[in-house]
């Protein structure tokens, strides 16, 4: 059985848990305290970050890499698809999330300076406009639920809690997508989202 080292409050770990649940693949759960990770985590990942999966000495780290590995290892239901064009599109969307969206998301979440918040919102809006175009006429980014949706989900489901980004500032296709993400059982039941519903605190960043 695969062992997953993770933290309930880590959005990157939520990505991987969602993939496990979508695949209905059982795993051994090892919860990690992000403030005091055990030596085992540092042994498996020199960066000391989670999520990590391990099976019979084989170790994979980084949420996007773990997610794609799980999709290859357990191909049904497919979250990456086998069509080269769609796989490329999914990877481009994941890259946009990690490279273009997460930085300003965390700046907006963490700063109290109005000027810095405005800069962060200005950086987020082009990503939302890009996603709005991709979502036109679709419930999810590729039509069917995919790894691209999972990549964005832990942050998108709290987007309207960010300063100055209420429902009225979010493009309608993105707002409808956010509601669809929240309604999906594998996302709505994840401890990350459940924890956020129970409390309001800055999101912790792992890796």
């Amino acid at each position: 059985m695969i062992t997953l080292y993770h933290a309930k409050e880590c959005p990157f770990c939520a990505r991987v848990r969602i993939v496990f649940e979508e695949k209905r693949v059982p795993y051994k759960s090892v919860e990690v305290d992000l403030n005091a990770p055990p030596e085992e985590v540092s042994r498996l990942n020199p960066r000391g970050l989670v999520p990590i999966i391990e099976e019979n000495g084989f170790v994979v780290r980084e949420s996007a890499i773990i997610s794609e590995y799980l999709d290859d290892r357990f191909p049904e239901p497919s979250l990456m698809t086998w069509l080269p064009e769609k796989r490329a599109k999914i990877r481009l969307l994941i890259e946009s999330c990690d490279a273009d969206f997460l930085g300003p998301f965390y700046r907006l979440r963490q700063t109290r300076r109005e000027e810095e918040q405005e800069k962060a919102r200005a950086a987020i809006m082009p990503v939302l406009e890009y996603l709005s175009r991709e979502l036109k006429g679709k419930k999810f980014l590729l039509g069917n639920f995919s790894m691209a949706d999972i990549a964005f989900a832990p942050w998108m489901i709290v987007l309207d809690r960010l300063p100055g980004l209420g429902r009225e500032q979010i493009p309608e296709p993105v707002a409808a997508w956010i509601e669809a993400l929240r309604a999906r059982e594998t996302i709505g039941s994840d401890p990350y989202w459940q924890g956020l519903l129970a409390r309001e605190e800055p999101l912790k960043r792992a890796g």
Side-chain angles (χ1 to χ4, degrees):
M1 180 179 288
I2 296 174
T3 299
L4 170 64
Y5 296 82
H6 67 112
K8 286 183 177 180
E9 68 271 32
C10 168
F12 295 91
C13 296
R15 277 179 170 177
V16 175
R17 289 192 300 263
I18 292 165
V19 174
F20 270 113
E21 294 303 320
E22 288 286 336
K23 299 285 184 180
R24 299 187 182 277
V25 172
Y27 60 91
K28 178 183 177 182
S29 171
V30 177
E31 290 187 29
V32 172
D33 181 350
L34 293 177
N35 296 313
E39 290 184 8
E40 182 72 359
V41 168
S42 297
R43 182 183 69 80
L44 296 171
N45 183 355
R47 297 177 181 175
L49 301 175
V50 290
I52 305 166
I53 63 169
E54 187 272 334
E55 184 180 29
N56 298 325
F58 178 67
V59 177
V60 186
R61 52 185 181 264
E62 301 296 331
S63 60
I65 298 173
I66 294 171
S67 297
E68 190 162 345
Y69 167 78
L70 291 174
D71 198 61
D72 289 340
R73 173 81 184 278
F74 306 100
E76 296 297 333
S78 176
L79 296 169
M80 287 293 295
T81 87
W82 293 105
L83 296 174
E85 296 86 353
K86 288 192 174 183
R87 289 174 72 86
K89 172 65 75 173
I90 289 170
R91 291 188 178 113
L92 286 169
L93 285 161
I94 294 171
E95 195 272 341
S96 178
C97 178
D98 292 350
D100 303 325
F101 179 70
L102 294 187
F105 177 97
Y106 280 106
R107 289 197 299 274
L108 182 55
R109 182 78 184 197
Q110 294 167 356
T111 186
R112 296 182 181 275
R113 296 177 57 190
E114 188 172 337
E115 181 181 352
E116 293 303 315
Q117 289 181 352
E118 184 58 38
K119 288 180 181 178
R121 281 193 294 270
I124 285 174
M125 291 312 297
V127 181
L128 298 185
E129 290 163 5
Y130 164 56
L131 294 172
S132 183
R133 292 191 297 271
E134 293 295 327
L135 285 161
K136 188 175 181 179
K138 294 179 288 189
K139 183 177 182 179
F140 296 111
L141 285 167
L142 270 75
N144 293 327
F145 187 75
S146 74
M147 203 71 79
D149 301 291
I150 294 172
F152 278 98
W155 298 274
M156 279 294 163
I157 58 177
V158 296
L159 186 67
D160 57 7
R161 295 185 174 195
L162 296 182
L165 270 181
R167 174 72 184 244
E168 61 276 8
Q169 283 79 38
I170 299 172
E172 181 55 35
V174 176
W177 175 50
I178 290 170
E179 292 306 314
L181 293 174
R182 288 172 174 168
R184 194 165 184 92
E185 183 179 357
T186 56
I187 296 172
S189 63
D190 187 80
Y192 172 72
W193 176 233
Q194 291 298 312
L196 288 173
L197 289 176
R199 67 188 187 281
E200 186 67 33
E201 63 180 30
L203 303 182
K204 295 184 179 180
R205 187 169 189 178

